[in-house]
Amino acid sequence: MQSFQKSEKIDALNIAYAMGNSSYVEKMGFLKTIVEMFSRKNKKILLLGRKHMLRWHRKTLDYILSETCNFFIDDISQDDPYFITAAIVSGPNTDIVSKDLFRSHRFLLKDQALKQIFQRWQWQHQWMVFSKGKRPFVQPPLQFTPCAQKGLDGWHLPYDNEESPGMENTIHDGIPDYNSWLCLKPKVVDSGVKK
């Protein structure tokens, strides 16, 4: 498998079906918008889809194929392993674009440490795509791991502030949305000794 450093792996069928019960023309248009977004960022794009998608709206499909490296697997329901493998093999600078939470794959990892590593990788490398009407809403990966972190100056604890401004337009997708940090620093105690 060819390596795509600093690239995006797009789960084509998952993104197209974010449109719900729309026509194939609308689904392909939605997918095209996502491909264009990453193309404008000069990202290498590997589009993973299923073969039946090749029968969808041809003009839009031709554009998408011209803008991406692509791979279409047989029409099977278990395509996630291809997607996850492509992302991992492509290296640490690779992001994935899918609204799939991959819960069943995380569950299958028996080792708790591996589950946490997978979850952290997903939080920091997954772009989530949702439909707001007929337009995509793209949520970037988290820029940090949402867990307590110790720095030189103390502890930093993320928390979900339910009353944060702007939270009313967010989509709950299972990924924590910690916009606020509680920073704890040791109190400097005056020893009372005069110099």
Side-chain angles (χ1 to χ4, degrees):
M1 184 179 292
Q2 183 179 359
S3 176
F4 292 86
Q5 296 297 320
K6 296 184 180 176
S7 64
E8 308 299 328
K9 305 292 179 273
I10 297 180
D11 186 345
L13 193 61
N14 181 277
I15 300 305
Y17 281 137
M19 286 291 291
N21 292 328
S22 301
S23 70
Y24 291 130
V25 173
E26 290 174 313
K27 288 177 184 181
M28 287 302 277
F30 190 81
L31 179 58
K32 178 184 175 195
T33 302
I34 299 302
V35 168
E36 287 173 334
M37 182 186 112
F38 288 105
S39 227
R40 282 192 303 271
K41 295 175 184 267
N42 294 319
K43 299 281 189 177
K44 290 183 182 177
I45 302 169
L46 174 62
L47 183 88
L48 295 167
R50 295 193 200 161
K51 288 184 179 174
H52 74 271
M53 296 178 74
L54 296 171
R55 295 188 301 268
W56 291 7
H57 191 254
R58 193 69 212 184
K59 184 178 179 184
T60 308
L61 178 64
D62 286 343
Y63 169 81
I64 290 170
L65 296 177
S66 72
E67 293 293 311
T68 65
C69 293
N70 43 75
F71 181 73
F72 291 87
I73 65 168
D74 291 333
D75 294 325
I76 59 173
S77 62
Q78 296 299 320
D79 60 353
D80 290 347
Y82 290 93
F83 188 67
I84 294 168
T85 301
I88 292 171
V89 167
S90 295
N93 293 322
T94 300
D95 286 344
I96 59 174
V97 183
S98 175
K99 72 175 197 170
D100 193 326
L101 295 177
F102 304 109
R103 287 185 182 118
S104 61
H105 302 287
R106 190 170 54 247
F107 175 77
L108 291 173
L109 296 170
K110 301 300 180 199
D111 184 293
Q112 191 61 33
L114 280 178
K115 285 182 182 186
Q116 290 176 351
I117 290 169
F118 183 85
Q119 179 69 80
R120 288 168 73 176
W121 170 79
Q122 188 178 2
W123 282 339
Q124 294 178 356
H125 292 278
Q126 183 169 1
W127 295 76
M128 301 288 280
V129 178
F130 304 95
S131 171
K132 282 196 170 185
K134 294 188 186 266
R135 296 180 45 220
F137 171 74
V138 181
Q139 179 177 299
L142 296 177
Q143 297 299 310
F144 55 87
T145 301
C147 64
Q149 299 180 25
K150 185 173 187 329
L152 295 175
D153 58 344
W155 282 91
H156 307 282
L157 309 171
Y159 67 95
D160 187 1
N161 184 353
E162 294 178 5
E163 297 176 12
S164 294
M167 293 295 288
E168 61 277 356
N169 291 326
T170 60
I171 297 173
H172 181 66
D173 54 16
I175 295 177
D177 189 14
Y178 297 119
N179 292 320
S180 303
W181 287 84
L182 175 64
C183 298
L184 305 172
K185 297 180 181 183
K187 185 175 181 180
V188 178
V189 179
D190 185 5
S191 64
V193 178
K194 292 185 178 180
K195 293 185 181 179

